[in-house]
Amino acid sequence: MTFSTPIDIPQPPFQIEPDDELLFLGSCFADSIGQHFAASRLHAVVNPRGTMYNPASILHTLQLCPNLRPRIAFLTLGTNHVYRLRETGEIVDNCEKRPARLFQEEELSVDACAEYLSQCVTVLRERRQDVHVVFTVSPIRYRKYGYHESQLSKATLLLAVDKVISLHSPLSSPLYFPAYEIVLDELRDYRFYQPDMLHPSEQAVDYIFERLSQHFFSPRLKEFLRRWEPIRAALAHRPFHPKSEEYQHFLAETKRKEAALLAQYGL
């Protein structure tokens, strides 16, 4: 018997290698997935200007960080809601705890979201022609909008991503990774959420990372992660006697293995 509805994930036309430069921009879900890569000592940049939730703010991050030239960029969209500074009309990325009366909240249309996302792709490709762009939509719901309104927001983002993808040829098109659908369908149970019942639990994030690895990771990267895991666990170990000669020898040997492994894979 099958107790879930597995999401079909098409095989991408590329694979992630151990020494690839990776970029994760977007909502706090991008933070969660990106930190998985960073914790594995891979070349991962995660939200260099802080968490960004809407397509306009993700574009602003790219425009303000000209040094970002990844081979693979994951852009995670959280909402189509934006805040404009009333005085200038500009979309702000962070209200910086200023009075709410200074801002006007609005919802971006499908076309507006698609335009911002298309500009993101253009910026990344101008900096590096062989870049691969992967869109995801965060499964985190926004209680403050109301749950129905939150679903409408997610639908707007999904339609915008689909529109951007349809504008490119199959060989050059950005991809969509169904993190949103995996949580809502494969993990359709509140045990996969944090106590707030909104954010995916650590176990859910681990599962999404596993699903991503099945389709996007090269055999070489999978082998690296298999060899890295015991080293990671050893480094995370908290001994009763950290200053003992025995533990210091264990730690030195573990760091030697870490350095050798990272050097072997160009990390």
Side-chain angles (χ1 to χ4, degrees):
M1 299 178 67
T2 300
F3 293 98
S4 66
T5 50
I7 300 300
D8 180 52
I9 302 176
Q11 195 66 32
F14 66 92
Q15 292 186 318
I16 302 176
E17 298 291 347
D19 57 349
D20 274 334
E21 295 179 352
L22 309 170
L23 175 63
F24 296 85
L25 294 182
S27 76
C28 48
F29 185 73
D31 289 326
S32 298
I33 292 296
Q35 290 305 325
H36 262 275
F37 286 83
S40 298
R41 298 294 194 271
L42 301 176
H43 299 305
V45 175
V46 184
N47 279 333
R49 295 185 62 250
T51 307
M52 300 292 161
Y53 298 95
N54 64 78
S57 294
I58 292 175
L59 175 61
H60 294 164
T61 295
L62 289 174
Q63 292 171 330
L64 294 171
C65 298
N67 60 319
L68 296 176
R69 295 178 175 85
R71 191 178 90 87
I72 302 165
F74 288 87
L75 308 183
T76 300
L77 314 173
T79 179
N80 70 326
H81 287 241
V82 298
Y83 292 88
R84 290 188 186 274
L85 189 61
R86 292 182 185 275
E87 183 178 0
T88 64
E90 67 175 323
I91 294 175
V92 298
D93 304 327
N94 190 323
C95 294
E96 299 174 338
K97 298 183 179 180
R98 288 177 286 179
R101 58 183 171 77
L102 299 178
F103 303 93
Q104 175 180 331
E105 182 180 2
E106 67 179 63
E107 300 173 34
L108 298 176
S109 66
V110 171
D111 288 343
C113 288
E115 177 59 28
Y116 283 120
L117 297 179
S118 292
Q119 290 184 54
C120 288
V121 175
T122 298
V123 169
L124 287 166
R125 288 185 173 167
E126 286 176 347
R127 296 176 185 175
R128 182 164 180 169
Q129 292 185 351
D130 65 341
V131 66
H132 295 282
V133 180
V134 182
F135 293 120
T136 66
V137 170
S138 170
I140 299 170
R141 295 171 295 163
Y142 290 87
R143 177 185 289 155
K144 67 179 181 179
Y145 300 150
Y147 294 126
H148 178 64
E149 289 76 7
S150 179
Q151 288 294 85
L152 293 177
S153 176
K154 302 294 184 183
T156 298
L157 297 173
L158 290 166
L159 288 169
V161 168
D162 190 66
K163 181 173 183 177
V164 174
I165 291 174
S166 70
L167 294 176
H168 294 78
S169 67
L171 293 178
S172 65
S173 175
L175 301 180
Y176 174 70
F177 179 77
Y180 177 81
E181 291 81 0
I182 289 173
V183 172
L184 267 65
D185 288 304
E186 287 195 32
L187 306 181
R188 195 186 303 169
D189 193 307
Y190 276 111
R191 65 191 167 121
F192 295 113
Y193 285 81
Q194 294 182 26
D196 65 2
M197 297 292 110
L198 298 174
H199 292 75
S201 67
E202 183 177 344
Q203 186 180 35
V205 175
D206 289 345
Y207 180 78
I208 293 171
F209 182 79
E210 180 182 332
R211 294 285 274 129
L212 183 67
S213 69
Q214 291 170 351
H215 296 271
F216 283 74
F217 289 10
S218 71
R220 190 165 179 261
L221 177 53
K222 292 177 181 178
E223 175 63 15
F224 165 77
L225 292 175
R226 184 190 68 78
R227 297 175 61 186
W228 164 252
E229 179 55 30
I231 297 175
R232 183 206 61 76
L235 290 172
H237 177 65
R238 294 293 179 264
F240 288 111
H241 306 288
K243 295 184 179 180
S244 67
E245 182 178 345
E246 180 182 10
Y247 175 71
Q248 290 301 314
H249 174 75
F250 168 80
L251 183 60
E253 179 63 15
T254 300
K255 289 186 175 180
R256 184 194 65 78
K257 292 179 180 178
E258 176 190 23
L261 181 65
L262 295 180
Q264 181 181 344
Y265 285 87
L267 298 171

